[in-house]
Amino acid sequence: MLVEMAIADAYGAGFEFVEQDIIRAHNDLGGYRAHALSGESACYTDDTQMSLALAELMLSDKVWDCETIAAAFYDTYHRDPVHGYAKRLQQAFAQASDAQEFARQVKTDSFGNGAMMRALPLGYLADEQAIMDKAEQQARVTHDHDIAVNAAKCIALATHAGIYKKASLETLPDYLTGFGCVFETHWEGPVRAISEDTLSAVLMVLSQARSLSKILELSVNLGGDTDSVAAISCGIASCYEEVEKDLPQALIAQFDHPHYGLEYLANIDLRLEALKRTDKL
Ligand SMILES: [Mg+2]
């Protein structure tokens, strides 16, 4: 999950909020493009890093509450500052002297897509009610808004449905509706970095392709917040048996992020899988 998410995130970051002409000319999955603002390339962004932070919190023996969640985000960023965070998060990381101060600074009623982009690992939990409760808790740390909470629950349940074989990508919308999730599956055009846009775009992309490479290409073609749509869509799709796992070798080989790169993420993915098998979650 995290490996596929990271590759899609790094690839999508090169197209984030660029002109459609650039997407048309370069979205061929042949290699990474540098991010328009940070200049970084072949490296994942906030989507993958915050998912990693929550995955490691799940794998630890710490309790799951607003303090430990905020500390996970704060510590994971400071051990490895990656690009792509929204300005308010970047400012809080820079200004807060510790995780408690960070938690106070980042709690707002935003309905940006930050709370949903990191909810994927929660799908490894065995119980849907626990998934929804934990998705909400982590969302409200930075996005204390019902729209952001709904989107975070949807994304966590979407990975769960694949991991536990409770739905196919075709039946996923019905599965989500059964838990009270609210969404629109039709989407066209550039995606704003807000929960409703991103959720619709992800569900639309997942309804239209059955291979990771096609899902990545379609995510980027939409334009706008391409790294989030690509990261979330590929991360969810990687949990479904019916999806061909065909991310291009070139993107795997060119990925360039030392210390917390693909090898590190693959190990976390294995530990999440192992926990599921032993029913400890
Ligand atoms: Mg991002």
Side-chain angles (χ1 to χ4, degrees):
M1 170 196 287
L2 292 174
V3 166
E4 292 85 354
M5 188 177 189
I7 292 167
D9 186 3
Y11 180 77
F15 296 94
E16 192 184 26
F17 297 112
V18 302
E19 296 294 325
Q20 200 64 38
D21 289 354
I22 296 176
I23 293 173
R24 268 195 293 273
H26 298 287
N27 183 21
D28 57 8
L29 311 186
Y32 295 101
R33 284 175 54 80
H35 188 266
L37 291 178
S38 73
E40 298 255 5
S41 82
C43 170
Y44 58 75
T45 74
D46 51 344
D47 307 69
T48 305
Q49 182 165 69
M50 294 187 113
S51 299
L52 171 61
L54 292 186
E56 291 190 288
L57 181 57
M58 287 167 65
L59 291 165
S60 75
D61 51 12
K62 292 177 189 156
V63 296
W64 185 273
D65 61 26
C66 48
E67 284 89 40
T68 57
I69 292 163
F73 297 147
Y74 184 81
D75 295 340
T76 307
Y77 176 81
H78 280 287
R79 78 181 182 191
D80 179 35
V82 303
H83 69 136
Y85 279 92
K87 196 174 275 180
R88 75 181 180 95
L89 267 290
Q90 268 174 17
Q91 280 171 349
F93 283 131
Q95 291 167 2
S97 57
D98 56 31
Q100 285 86 352
E101 197 182 327
F102 171 76
R104 283 193 294 276
Q105 286 190 25
V106 292
K107 192 172 179 74
T108 70
D109 61 355
S110 164
F111 52 94
N113 61 14
M116 63 190 288
M117 65 168 70
R118 60 194 190 219
L120 287 80
L122 285 169
Y124 277 100
L125 297 171
D127 174 62
E128 281 121 333
Q129 191 56 51
I131 291 171
M132 291 191 285
D133 291 347
K134 287 190 156 83
E136 173 160 4
Q137 270 179 299
Q138 67 80 27
R140 293 202 187 277
V141 170
T142 52
H143 295 73
D144 194 8
H145 195 296
D146 289 348
I147 290 177
V149 169
N150 170 70
K153 287 180 181 176
C154 276
I155 296 304
L157 289 170
T159 59
H160 176 80
I163 293 165
Y164 287 86
K165 299 184 177 38
K166 292 182 177 177
S168 64
L169 287 181
E170 195 182 342
T171 61
L172 177 60
D174 289 340
Y175 171 80
L176 295 175
T177 303
F179 289 96
C181 293
V182 179
F183 52 84
E184 178 60 60
T185 52
H186 301 288
W187 185 262
E188 279 179 50
V191 181
R192 293 174 295 172
I194 60 174
S195 293
E196 288 163 303
D197 282 30
T198 307
L199 183 58
S200 292
V202 164
L203 292 173
M204 188 280 288
V205 166
L206 291 175
S207 74
Q208 293 200 346
R210 294 294 178 268
S211 74
L212 290 180
S213 61
K214 192 66 189 168
I215 287 168
L216 180 53
E217 186 192 340
L218 289 177
S219 299
V220 170
N221 274 345
L222 291 173
D225 194 357
T226 46
D227 59 313
S228 291
V229 176
I232 298 167
S233 298
C234 285
I236 293 172
S238 73
C239 302
Y240 285 77
E241 233 171 37
E242 74 207 79
V243 173
E244 194 181 345
K245 314 300 188 301
D246 63 346
L247 284 176
Q249 274 305 314
L251 296 184
I252 297 166
Q254 292 167 27
F255 196 89
D256 182 23
H257 188 60
H259 308 306
Y260 298 97
L262 296 186
E263 209 174 311
Y264 189 89
L265 297 175
N267 183 255
I268 300 294
D269 279 339
L270 282 176
R271 289 176 59 200
L272 288 168
E273 272 292 327
L275 268 183
K276 180 180 74 109
R277 279 198 300 275
T278 53
D279 268 351
K280 281 186 186 163
L281 287 176

